[in-house]
Amino acid sequence: MSETTDKKDFIREIIDGDLASGKHETVITRFPPEPNGYLHIGHAKAICLNFGLAQEHARVKAKCHLRFDDTNPSKEETEYVESIKEDVKWLGFDWGENLYFASDYFEYFYDCAVELIKQGLAYVEDDSLEEVRAKRGNVNTPGRRSECAERSVEENLDLFARMRAGEFKNGEKVLRAKIDMAAPNMNMRDPVLYRIMHAHHHNTGDAWCIYPMYDFAHPLEDAKEHITHSLCTLEFEDHRPLYDWFIEHCPVPSTPRQIEFSRLNINYTVMSKRKLLQLVQEGHVAGWDDPRMPTISGMRRRGYPPEALRSFVVGTGITKFKGTTDVAVLEHEVRDYLNKEAPRRMAVLDPVKVVLENWDEQPMDTASVPNHPQNPDMGERQIPISSEVYIERDDFMEDPPKKFFRLGPERYVRLRGGHIIQCTGYDKDADGQVSLIKAKILPDTVGQDAPEGVKCKAAIHWVDAATSVDAEVRLYDRLFNCEDPDGAEGGFLSALNPDSLATVQAKVEPALADCEAGFSCQFERTGYFVADSKDHAPGKPVFNRTVALRDSWGKQSGR
RNA sequence: AGCCUCAUAGUGUAAUGGUAGCACCCCGGAUUUUGAUUCCGUUAGUCUAGGUUCGAAUCCUAGUGAGGCUACCA
């Protein structure tokens, strides 16, 4: 699937309209994460949208800012700032000079608040959180305004200055906008602008003890940066009137417009930062970048290429419809990219030794194996081979059914890139498990079709017993085995897949050995892909073994 | 209950008054030194009822269904 599209979603329509009408001469967007967790695939949608818009409008010098919305010091950490930058870069986007922190505007926010007070549009509230809540009413009943709303401008100015000066304790006072306590939109019932929080801020240290609320700060941040189109998710729809109210009543250098779109939902996946944090803190996963996590860093470690993530989120489109995308679409994009771009390697996850009894009849030092079956430009590699090789346990059956095409007593199969072999016998251990397979090579079958009368329909993975490398391979599956973990009866933790991680002692070809701590992901049809654990770079070798997971010969399954 | 938003195959998304198309999933066939890939094919859709119009997924009205809002989170 293409990463670019001619299709115009409603946001692009609006932007084109604004450009055409002359309302704006350029487009400036922003990606404004709060640094309180790692980025996940849902953020990738916002990143691709905002940065993508800037790229598409390069002709009018469009830009996309990276802005950390760090107005709540109790939840934010520098570690998250760094990981977010890394993930945005890895996804393939560049904010250039345009890196900002909401906390750098604290003085400006303060000035705006003072200005609102002077206009009689904001007041200092003495009521406790509980009282404020009780007086706000609910969706059916209008709220009651506190007596504090009657304070004079001078008194409010004085009180607000003393809030900043640290004269009050947390929760003792709060600054509110004076709007409409009977508004059907609850956000307009005298929303809180500033709260007192004696806390250390990752950027401003101890300079402040009052911090602005999102609703107040965000439109001002956008205006300050001359953002033309402020894109956010659907849950902020009801906040837009408030957004516009602040733009109207504060001294702003520009008038940004908020536009909402639907956030990304994927089945078998939890996307809330709170839940992801819980998975990390309670040790259900190894960390934010555990390959099973839907985080950008987790997917990176799992071998998902950034190209696939981008084409996936672009493909799901921008709408206001709240749907759930099938995780199979994501997996398809990953497979699609890896299939085209990744050089192939061989590995055996559950090895059984095969002795080639007549090796002397046509011995080879190396087998020549193409690095990519459809792309000769990737060349071939020479893999050492000798009279003893390992093959996958699943590739041999003592009593194979009719449509099993691989090895069995008297049967033929090709060693990929090598000879066709025929099984001549096998040993079993005390447990009845096959411990050794004996076979003979058919001379003159390397690179040749099967001779007359030889039924050989499959080519299997193998590694040389003498030169293969032992490797611990971790196999990853979906973290949740329930389509809607958020809606699981026993909570999302009860939907955790106990088999999401398995470790096997595999034997891999030497060329795969540099993929240290290799891991794989299991796709329903495609079997395993193994990539490097640190990063997926273009051209990184991939172990792509295909087995019949949904077999045509019967019920037994590949895994 | 009040306000806001949304509704197109199983899923996601196009079609801005003119033949409802694409992708994923599913199923079938051909090719194949990965049971993969590739190629071809099948199934399947405009929430309901009215209205405007030569013509409606699209515009209007009502209804139904789904989601959001009652943090000193973002």
Side-chain angles (χ1 to χ4, degrees):
Chain A
M1 184 168 290
S2 170
E3 284 183 44
T4 57
T5 173
D6 302 332
K7 295 171 195 163
K8 285 271 196 311
D9 51 65
F10 73 103
I11 291 179
R12 277 168 242 258
E13 294 281 359
I14 291 172
I15 290 176
D16 286 355
D18 288 345
L19 254 18
S21 72
K23 180 181 178 185
H24 294 297
E25 291 176 351
T26 187
V27 179
I28 306 179
T29 55
R30 103 267 94 113
F31 173 61
E34 181 187 17
N36 67 344
Y38 279 59
L39 259 26
H40 55 65
I41 183 71
H43 294 107
K45 178 172 178 173
I47 293 169
C48 290
L49 209 213
N50 283 294
F51 281 96
L53 249 12
Q55 288 175 348
E56 289 163 31
H57 296 88
R59 265 166 297 161
V60 292
K61 296 191 167 72
K63 295 184 295 187
C64 178
H65 298 184
L66 173 61
R67 179 171 71 222
F68 289 96
D69 212 353
D70 52 354
T71 56
N72 183 351
S74 69
K75 302 199 299 183
E76 296 151 7
E77 295 174 25
T78 305
E79 173 199 352
Y80 297 133
V81 171
E82 294 310 313
S83 76
I84 288 168
K85 286 192 209 169
E86 187 184 343
D87 290 347
V88 172
K89 266 190 251 172
W90 179 78
L91 266 178
F93 297 103
D94 180 13
W95 54 87
E97 302 293 300
N98 304 299
L99 174 66
Y100 302 97
F101 289 84
S103 50
D104 286 339
Y105 308 140
F106 279 171
E107 201 65 50
Y108 172 62
F109 300 149
Y110 184 83
D111 292 344
C112 285
V114 167
E115 183 59 33
L116 287 177
I117 293 173
K118 286 179 179 167
Q119 291 178 52
L121 293 175
Y123 60 94
V124 173
E125 174 67 78
D126 297 342
D127 281 355
S128 68
L129 199 167
E130 292 71 26
E131 288 168 313
V132 168
R133 196 170 284 166
K135 289 181 185 172
R136 182 148 38 217
N138 60 40
V139 291
N140 297 312
T141 59
R144 290 175 291 121
R145 185 164 273 164
S146 145
E147 317 75 69
C148 298
E150 304 309 318
R151 282 205 237 261
S152 68
V153 169
E154 291 66 32
E155 188 181 358
N156 279 317
L157 252 15
D158 174 60
L159 250 17
F160 187 48
R162 289 162 59 194
M163 278 172 64
R164 176 179 182 171
E167 286 189 28
F168 306 108
K169 291 198 279 286
N170 287 0
E172 207 172 319
K173 295 211 183 313
V174 88
L175 184 73
R176 302 177 76 176
K178 191 193 276 191
I179 305 181
D180 180 3
M181 287 304 288
N185 182 342
M186 300 295 291
N187 294 305
M188 303 301 272
R189 320 249 264 223
D190 288 12
V192 171
L193 267 36
Y194 267 95
R195 76 281 216 189
I196 297 171
M197 228 188 259
H198 292 274
H200 188 82
H201 188 281
H202 80 98
N203 185 31
T204 58
D206 299 312
W208 293 84
C209 64
I210 57 172
Y211 291 93
M213 301 293 291
Y214 167 89
D215 282 323
F216 177 58
H218 208 87
L220 300 177
E221 296 159 19
D222 287 340
K224 186 91 174 156
E225 294 176 18
H226 291 82
I227 300 298
T228 55
H229 303 270
S230 178
L231 314 179
C232 63
T233 47
L234 246 30
E235 63 268 30
F236 293 105
E237 260 171 338
D238 289 343
H239 297 240
R240 188 173 357 113
L242 186 53
Y243 184 100
D244 293 338
W245 191 89
F246 288 125
I247 293 295
E248 186 185 344
H249 296 286
C250 293
V252 292
S254 74
T255 55
R257 169 180 177 183
Q258 173 180 305
I259 306 170
E260 311 84 15
F261 63 93
S262 173
R263 70 161 68 239
L264 178 66
N265 297 299
I266 306 178
N267 57 14
Y268 297 100
T269 308
V270 302
M271 211 83 92
S272 107
K273 265 193 203 171
R274 202 203 95 236
K275 287 173 181 164
L276 296 178
L277 179 63
Q278 189 181 349
L279 288 171
V280 173
Q281 288 182 334
E282 294 179 5
H284 302 288
V285 295
W288 285 98
D289 64 347
D290 186 299
R292 293 165 295 179
M293 290 283 272
T295 50
I296 305 293
S297 50
M299 290 184 171
R300 172 165 66 233
R301 281 192 55 194
R302 187 161 173 156
Y304 284 21
E307 293 85 349
L309 263 43
R310 274 187 259 136
S311 57
F312 167 69
V313 296
V314 170
T316 57
I318 303 297
T319 66
K320 294 179 84 107
F321 176 66
K322 210 174 173 176
T324 300
T325 299
D326 195 330
V327 69
V329 181
L330 206 209
E331 292 171 343
H332 167 264
E333 295 292 350
V334 175
R335 246 185 280 131
D336 198 43
Y337 181 88
L338 254 25
N339 180 54
K340 288 194 197 92
E341 306 295 333
R344 305 306 156 83
R345 297 292 182 263
M346 292 199 291
V348 174
L349 302 184
D350 185 10
V352 173
K353 185 177 278 187
V354 178
V355 176
L356 303 171
E357 296 174 315
N358 63 335
W359 184 250
D360 292 342
E361 288 179 30
Q362 195 182 70
M364 306 191 293
D365 291 334
T366 59
S368 193
V369 184
N371 287 323
H372 192 289
Q374 280 84 37
N375 185 357
D377 291 346
M378 285 193 189
E380 299 191 334
R381 66 194 185 287
Q382 304 299 314
I383 307 175
I385 186 168
S386 63
S387 62
E388 293 188 343
V389 299
Y390 290 105
I391 67 167
E392 202 71 56
R393 186 171 297 280
D394 286 349
D395 287 344
F396 175 85
M397 286 184 83
E398 279 185 85
D399 187 18
K402 191 127 176 108
K403 286 193 169 172
F404 183 82
F405 302 136
R406 287 165 272 160
L407 208 54
E410 311 298 318
R411 291 198 177 209
Y412 301 93
V413 80
R414 181 186 296 278
L415 298 178
R416 209 167 143 65
H419 300 86
I420 291 177
I421 62 172
Q422 181 181 25
C423 174
T424 55
Y426 57 96
D427 296 339
K428 288 163 74 165
D429 61 21
D431 301 330
Q433 206 183 54
V434 175
S435 53
L436 181 73
I437 296 169
K438 296 166 189 164
K440 65 178 184 189
I441 58 169
L442 273 57
D444 304 319
T445 52
V446 177
Q448 304 297 318
D449 289 339
E452 201 68 29
V454 171
K455 284 203 294 185
C456 177
K457 292 193 69 174
I460 63 173
H461 274 240
W462 56 271
V463 295
D464 177 45
T467 56
S468 64
V469 178
D470 287 317
E472 187 180 89
V473 170
R474 288 192 289 279
L475 307 175
Y476 294 102
D477 205 337
R478 288 173 184 163
L479 224 206
F480 296 97
N481 52 23
C482 161
E483 199 163 337
D484 178 21
D486 291 323
E489 325 77 62
F492 79 106
L493 289 178
S494 69
L496 276 170
N497 175 12
D499 301 319
S500 62
L501 169 60
T503 303
V504 299
Q505 294 299 322
K507 292 188 179 294
V508 302
E509 66 171 273
L512 200 57
D514 60 344
C515 282
E516 72 177 300
F519 68 94
S520 80
C521 41
Q522 179 187 358
F523 293 106
E524 282 189 17
R525 317 181 22 181
T526 317
Y528 308 103
F529 280 96
V530 177
D532 182 83
S533 65
K534 298 278 187 275
D535 190 358
H536 178 86
K540 202 81 184 176
V542 162
F543 157 47
N544 171 208
R545 173 180 147 76
T546 304
V547 290
L549 294 168
R550 199 172 300 127
D551 18 27
S552 49
W553 67 84
K555 267 295 164 219
Q556 67 270 45
S557 162
R559 179 189 142 85

